[in-house]
Amino acid sequence: MAGKATNIPTATILRLSIYHRYLQSLMERGTKVVSSAQLANGTNVNAAQLRKDLSYFGRFGVRGVGYNVSKLLRQIKEILGLGKSWNMALIGAGNIGKALLQHKQFENHGYNFVLVFDKTPFRVGKEILPGIEVHHIDKLKELAATTPIDLAVIAVPASQAQEMADTIIEAGISGILNFAPARLKVPNHVALQHVDFTTLLDTLTYALSTKEKKGAYYNKKKEENRNTRWDSPQSWPDHMINYSNLLVTK
Amino acid sequence: MAGKATNIPTATILRLSIYHRYLQSLMERGTKVVSSAQLANGTNVNAAQLRKDLSYFGRFGVRGVGYNVSKLLRQIKEILGLGKSWNMALIGAGNIGKALLQHKQFENHGYNFVLVFDKTPFRVGKEILPGIEVHHIDKLKELAATTPIDLAVIAVPASQAQEMADTIIEAGISGILNFAPARLKVPNHVALQHVDFTTLLDTLTYALSTKEKKGAYYNKKKEENRNTRWDSPQSWPDHMINYSNLLVTK
DNA sequence: GAGACTAAGTGACTTAATTCACAATATATT
DNA sequence: AATATATTGTGAATTAAGTCACTTAGTCTC
């Protein structure tokens, strides 16, 4: 059935974005049609899962044939709300903030920083980049009234992050991408994602530590593959691909 | 039972890191003892889940009392493999890479960039920061032999990311944090995490779009809370906290 | 246009993660 | 030392996510 009202797994949305990106690269390469197996392989996903992910939203393929690349691309854009351009405010003009501002990828995808805020005295009022002035965070609500903001990106120290989030929400913004190492509390209508460097690194060290200590959490299941060498980088044999680095951030 | 060999959910490891950080802040504030309820509240997690997370590794609390902050902190450090310091190589000395190099948080947590690589001619051989020279990526294997590297951070364009990952793995490094917008394939013994800005943003726009269109995916379940106002930032009423931004990256 | 073939779509099943709810065990109090 | 109270630890129940395997519906060939 098309476009069910069933609960859509959060992970599905994330994968949709990944399919989207891969489809774009197929598009650029001039590929017209793609099968669920190919698309799944290119994004490290199970083919049935890909089909199920799409099935939450409709029927986009042709049986016996596959998916039309440009059509599916358009449809995923529609689902995710891409296609239009989104205004973002950067909160925090430090190292990370500045790097994000200069990150080309964002504008290519329709994400544009239109306002920058900080509260550190020596930053406020300065031009952080040619043509981009840093405003005091107190002006957020006022400026957001004239320049509508869809999303806010928090890149301040942990100690200030919650306070910034509250300010952002009070200004009527209801999407937040948080780079500060702190788990924010936001009311239910606000969409929130965390980018948490050290937490991700910690999961890596855990993996490395257990490998050393117990000798291969990994190898347990895959011991039979020992003879299968992986000497040809670029295309690891399928059974050696690491599907295990799942990640959850609340 | 303590320290079971049961399969430990990946999400548990991630939350352990989050508890760890919160415990550190409690420590700094001088708190000696904390209950699962407090700790869970501070990290936006269900108290039973926190206890279960810990139970995979042992029994760390005292019934009727709670957890000793410094003791639990030490034990989580032990589990995650923190405590020692980890050598990292940065692959890609562009905007993001440079920002990561300057990111103080890393050294505070025992993560140190000891080598920087790139392949862009005008960057190689230059000092990207005082005292830090950029090496050509071809030297990775050679230099990694003298300076042991635990983790590699990829911050190159998507088109080069897989190639870099292969090089890294060939040099014997088996932990990767990838900032490039591409899903990498790595053999099973390699631990991998993705930091995928646009994908995260896409999940936010999805949330915003569906809210607009269908009017509240969110409110459905929480309609009864409409009368409960959230006018006091900093402490949103519990039932309004957004627990829904789960995230998965394969 | 009949038969062979391919690949989407999906209900049923399996596996994994989360939450409940209560027994176990500690402290504090009188 | 008996009772009240607090809070952990965990088996059992629940909910959610992922995979299998089959049905359906297209295209292609002769």
Side-chain angles (χ1 to χ4, degrees):
Chain A
M1 199 162 290
K4 295 180 222 171
T6 328
N7 285 336
I8 293 158
T10 347
T12 289
I13 303 303
L14 193 117
R15 283 191 297 265
L16 241 34
S17 169
I18 293 169
Y19 307 148
H20 174 260
R21 181 159 61 208
Y22 191 76
L23 285 165
Q24 263 176 333
S25 79
L26 288 180
M27 188 85 162
E28 280 156 23
R29 272 186 267 157
T31 311
K32 298 281 184 237
V33 173
V34 69
S35 72
S36 66
Q38 292 173 295
L39 191 45
N41 182 53
T43 50
N44 292 355
V45 158
N46 177 298
Q49 177 155 76
L50 158 25
R51 294 199 299 273
K52 175 140 289 187
D53 283 341
L54 293 176
S55 80
Y56 290 115
F57 300 97
R59 310 165 83 155
F60 305 109
V62 179
R63 294 180 189 212
V65 179
Y67 301 91
N68 177 299
V69 172
S70 82
K71 193 177 144 206
L72 184 57
L73 191 55
R74 214 166 40 239
Q75 283 162 322
I76 294 182
K77 265 198 213 312
E78 175 67 26
I79 293 165
L80 292 179
L82 312 176
K84 61 165 280 193
S85 121
W86 297 87
N87 284 347
M88 301 197 296
L90 174 66
I91 318 292
N95 285 328
I96 302 280
K98 210 185 286 183
L100 294 173
L101 269 184
Q102 295 173 279
H103 194 52
K104 288 285 159 49
Q105 218 60 41
F106 289 137
E107 13 186 291
N108 294 344
H109 287 255
Y111 296 111
N112 300 297
F113 284 110
V114 294
L115 286 170
V116 177
F117 298 89
D118 206 301
K119 116 197 236 192
T120 321
F122 75 83
R123 287 195 189 126
V124 176
K126 300 264 171 68
E127 272 200 337
I128 183 172
L129 284 180
I132 302 179
E133 192 196 334
V134 178
H135 300 280
H136 192 280
I137 184 68
D138 289 347
K139 293 241 182 102
L140 173 56
K141 202 165 183 175
E142 181 189 332
L143 290 170
T146 9
T147 313
I149 307 289
D150 303 297
L151 302 166
V153 175
I154 297 182
V156 301
S159 55
Q160 295 169 36
Q162 184 62 57
E163 185 192 334
M164 291 300 112
D166 296 337
T167 308
I168 287 162
I169 293 163
E170 288 217 319
I173 299 167
S174 45
I176 298 178
L177 184 61
N178 174 41
F179 284 80
R183 308 317 271 195
L184 304 178
K185 300 198 187 198
V186 300
N188 217 280
H189 71 278
V190 174
L192 170 66
Q193 290 291 3
H194 292 279
V195 176
D196 201 330
F197 301 154
T198 47
T199 288
L200 293 175
L201 285 173
D202 289 352
T203 67
L204 295 180
T205 62
Y206 171 78
L208 297 185
S209 304
T210 52
K211 196 169 21 152
E212 276 168 29
K213 276 186 216 147
K214 304 201 212 151
Y217 170 86
Y218 311 94
N219 300 340
K220 236 182 298 171
K221 286 186 181 171
K222 303 284 174 175
E223 194 57 36
E224 72 270 23
N225 297 325
R226 288 243 304 190
N227 43 349
T228 320
R229 298 295 156 65
W230 40 283
D231 25 28
S232 68
Q234 185 63 299
S235 59
W236 308 107
D238 259 22
H239 59 273
M240 294 206 82
I241 292 167
N242 181 351
Y243 287 122
S244 63
N245 66 321
L246 176 144
L247 235 276
V248 184
T249 72
K250 274 245 165 104
Chain B
M1 198 164 288
K4 294 179 223 170
T6 327
N7 284 337
I8 293 157
T10 347
T12 289
I13 304 304
L14 192 118
R15 283 191 298 265
L16 241 35
S17 169
I18 294 169
Y19 307 148
H20 174 260
R21 182 161 60 210
Y22 191 76
L23 285 164
Q24 263 175 333
S25 78
L26 287 179
M27 188 86 163
E28 280 156 23
R29 270 185 269 158
T31 311
K32 298 280 185 238
V33 173
V34 69
S35 72
S36 66
Q38 293 172 293
L39 191 44
N41 181 54
T43 50
N44 294 353
V45 158
N46 177 299
Q49 177 156 73
L50 158 26
R51 294 199 299 275
K52 175 137 290 186
D53 283 341
L54 294 176
S55 80
Y56 289 117
F57 300 96
R59 310 167 81 153
F60 306 110
V62 180
R63 293 179 189 213
V65 180
Y67 301 90
N68 177 300
V69 171
S70 81
K71 193 176 144 207
L72 183 56
L73 190 55
R74 213 166 41 240
Q75 283 161 320
I76 293 182
K77 264 198 213 317
E78 176 67 26
I79 293 166
L80 292 178
L82 312 176
K84 63 166 279 194
S85 121
W86 297 87
N87 284 347
M88 301 198 295
L90 174 65
I91 319 292
N95 286 327
I96 302 281
K98 210 185 287 184
L100 294 173
L101 270 184
Q102 295 174 281
H103 194 53
K104 290 286 160 49
Q105 217 61 39
F106 289 137
E107 13 186 290
N108 295 344
H109 287 255
Y111 295 111
N112 300 297
F113 284 110
V114 294
L115 287 170
V116 177
F117 298 90
D118 205 303
K119 119 197 235 188
T120 321
F122 73 84
R123 287 193 190 128
V124 175
K126 301 263 170 67
E127 272 200 336
I128 184 172
L129 285 180
I132 302 178
E133 191 197 332
V134 178
H135 301 281
H136 192 279
I137 183 68
D138 289 347
K139 294 240 181 104
L140 173 56
K141 202 165 183 175
E142 181 190 331
L143 289 171
T146 9
T147 314
I149 306 289
D150 303 298
L151 301 167
V153 175
I154 296 181
V156 300
S159 55
Q160 295 169 38
Q162 183 63 56
E163 185 193 334
M164 292 300 113
D166 296 338
T167 308
I168 288 162
I169 294 162
E170 288 218 318
I173 299 167
S174 45
I176 298 178
L177 184 61
N178 173 42
F179 283 81
R183 309 318 273 194
L184 304 177
K185 300 198 186 198
V186 300
N188 218 282
H189 71 278
V190 174
L192 170 67
Q193 290 291 4
H194 291 279
V195 176
D196 202 331
F197 300 153
T198 46
T199 287
L200 294 175
L201 285 173
D202 289 353
T203 67
L204 294 180
T205 61
Y206 170 77
L208 296 186
S209 304
T210 51
K211 197 172 18 154
E212 274 168 30
K213 276 186 218 149
K214 305 201 212 149
Y217 171 85
Y218 311 93
N219 300 341
K220 236 183 298 173
K221 286 185 179 171
K222 302 284 175 175
E223 194 58 34
E224 71 270 24
N225 297 327
R226 287 246 301 193
N227 43 349
T228 320
R229 297 296 156 67
W230 42 284
D231 25 27
S232 68
Q234 184 64 297
S235 59
W236 309 106
D238 259 21
H239 60 273
M240 297 206 79
I241 292 167
N242 182 352
Y243 286 123
S244 64
N245 65 323
L246 174 143
L247 234 276
V248 184
T249 73
K250 272 248 164 101

